[in-house]
Amino acid sequence: MENPRELFQVMTRRFGLLNKNCCSVGGCDISLIQSHILYEIDNQHEPSMQQIADTLGTDITTFSRQVQSLVKLNLVKKTPHSDDKRVYILSLTVEGKYVATTIDQQMNEYLNDVFSNMNEFEKETVIRSIKLLNEAMAKTSHCCTIPLR
């Protein structure tokens, strides 16, 4: 049987998940976590900081630092909620929308290139398997942590 950990190690490297920056758009170097934040802000309706942090499974302190760096890059805007000033709503600036869209296009081009090396059955099998894996990962109690023994 194949070694599953080895398969994930190789896939992680090939996806560039260990790189300091996942992409560079318009002179901005964007880290992987920043890319995820931009994606989620773009895909959720007027999300709060806590909603995005929860979606990404990150603690609010680390998340706040990342959002601040995106605000400084003029990619994200924080607006106090009209009903509760302690809650901040996140939105993309025009530049942020451009960066998020460009990253999305780059990732789709990359995945299309990867899938172009497979026939339709293989592609559907991989996508179905990833869905199955995501569902199984959501059911485990070890989500996002590695138990240290």
Side-chain angles (χ1 to χ4, degrees):
M1 182 177 144
E2 295 275 353
N3 179 341
R5 179 166 180 205
E6 178 65 23
L7 294 173
F8 282 105
Q9 297 281 112
V10 171
M11 187 174 67
T12 298
R13 287 192 296 268
R14 289 198 174 136
F15 254 120
L17 299 179
L18 301 178
N19 299 352
K20 182 174 184 263
N21 295 313
C22 75
C23 28
S24 185
V25 180
C28 281
D29 287 331
I30 306 296
S31 70
L32 186 62
I33 183 67
Q34 290 171 331
S35 166
H36 280 264
I37 291 169
L38 294 172
Y39 178 86
E40 291 302 333
I41 292 171
D42 198 28
N43 285 286
Q44 293 188 31
H45 179 69
E46 297 183 355
S48 69
M49 286 191 51
Q50 190 65 55
Q51 282 173 299
I52 301 288
D54 290 348
T55 298
L56 297 177
T58 62
D59 70 275
I60 196 71
T61 307
T62 303
F63 182 75
S64 288
R65 280 195 300 271
Q66 293 296 336
V67 168
Q68 264 323 108
S69 66
L70 291 168
V71 168
K72 285 181 185 164
L73 290 170
N74 197 32
L75 302 178
V76 170
K77 188 175 152 195
K78 280 172 52 179
T79 309
H81 193 282
S82 55
D83 297 336
D84 186 347
K85 301 296 182 208
R86 296 170 300 167
V87 175
Y88 283 93
I89 301 301
L90 299 176
S91 58
L92 298 180
T93 63
V94 173
E95 294 90 339
K97 180 68 176 167
Y98 170 76
V99 169
T101 301
T102 303
I103 292 170
D104 199 42
Q105 288 170 344
Q106 289 171 354
M107 282 305 300
N108 286 330
E109 284 173 22
Y110 174 68
L111 291 170
N112 286 337
D113 188 39
V114 168
F115 286 128
S116 74
N117 297 299
M118 299 178 193
N119 65 38
E120 201 56 36
F121 174 76
E122 291 168 331
K123 177 183 171 183
E124 288 173 12
T125 301
V126 168
I127 290 171
R128 203 169 39 255
S129 297
I130 292 170
K131 283 182 182 175
L132 189 63
L133 181 64
N134 278 336
E135 289 166 7
M137 290 171 80
K139 293 175 186 172
T140 183
S141 60
H142 296 293
C143 178
C144 310
T145 63
I146 299 171
L148 299 173
R149 289 187 168 78

